[in-house]
Amino acid sequence: MFFLENKIETVYILENPEKKIIKFATGTQLAYENIIKDVFGVACVKDLQLMIQFNKSFQDSICHKHGIRENKITIDKILRIASKQEILLLKNQLIENNDKPLEKDFSVPRPFERFIKLQEGIFKWDEKNSSYNSVNLGA
């Protein structure tokens, strides 16, 4: 019943350490928008595997960022489900990019759907606190 009434979007973080680009995207955005191209310069996720395999400077940037060797590079180093901590970083970026003086009641606009899935589970947008809070589905 919960899932039929509410759309839940998985939120991903895309990171290109070579170009120093970090973006958040929903599963829908990954499927229908040019987010992959904007961040990595390739058309689709399948092409990322080729970049990891054959683009030496890209490999080096991933290795340097994560402190790993080439044989330990996996796609989840550059494209993965975002964590709650990473969403908090996004919130801070939105606050910093706000061009109005911060007021006591400043609220961050909701960046994604009302319900999102992160590494830690399902979260619901809280308008009052401008943040996503964990949802207990067992209750």
Side-chain angles (χ1 to χ4, degrees):
M1 178 114 163
F2 174 82
F3 293 106
L4 296 176
E5 296 173 4
N6 298 289
K7 182 176 182 183
I8 299 175
E9 279 276 12
T10 300
V11 177
Y12 296 88
I13 186 165
L14 294 78
E15 185 174 8
N16 184 336
E18 183 179 31
K19 295 182 180 177
K20 297 181 178 26
I21 298 173
I22 297 175
K23 283 200 177 195
F24 292 86
T26 63
T28 302
Q29 289 173 314
L30 286 177
Y32 298 108
E33 296 180 16
N34 289 327
I35 302 286
I36 298 287
K37 187 170 186 170
D38 293 345
V39 175
F40 300 105
V42 296
C44 61
V45 174
K46 185 171 69 173
D47 293 340
L48 286 177
Q49 292 288 13
L50 296 174
M51 274 186 77
I52 289 171
Q53 189 174 359
F54 297 111
N55 185 324
K56 182 67 173 149
S57 62
F58 188 62
Q59 289 174 357
D60 291 345
S61 68
I62 296 169
C63 291
H64 181 12
K65 164 91 171 121
H66 294 283
I68 59 175
R69 294 190 175 140
E70 281 180 30
N71 64 347
K72 298 294 181 187
I73 297 175
T74 56
I75 192 106
D76 67 328
K77 299 292 185 212
I78 57 172
L79 179 111
R80 65 189 176 282
I81 296 176
S83 69
K84 174 69 174 172
Q85 187 64 34
E86 290 165 331
I87 293 295
L88 291 174
L89 293 174
L90 173 63
K91 179 181 176 180
N92 291 337
Q93 288 174 357
L94 293 171
I95 291 170
E96 288 173 15
N97 293 338
N98 178 38
D99 56 356
K100 300 176 198 168
L102 286 182
E103 301 165 6
K104 189 168 90 171
D105 295 331
F106 173 76
S107 65
V108 174
R110 184 181 62 175
F112 306 108
E113 293 290 332
R114 192 164 163 232
F115 289 90
I116 61 172
K117 179 180 178 190
L118 300 174
Q119 288 178 12
E120 298 86 354
I122 306 296
F123 290 79
K124 179 182 178 184
W125 182 252
D126 177 357
E127 292 288 338
K128 183 178 178 188
N129 295 313
S130 297
S131 65
Y132 283 100
N133 295 325
S134 182
V135 173
N136 183 358
L137 297 177

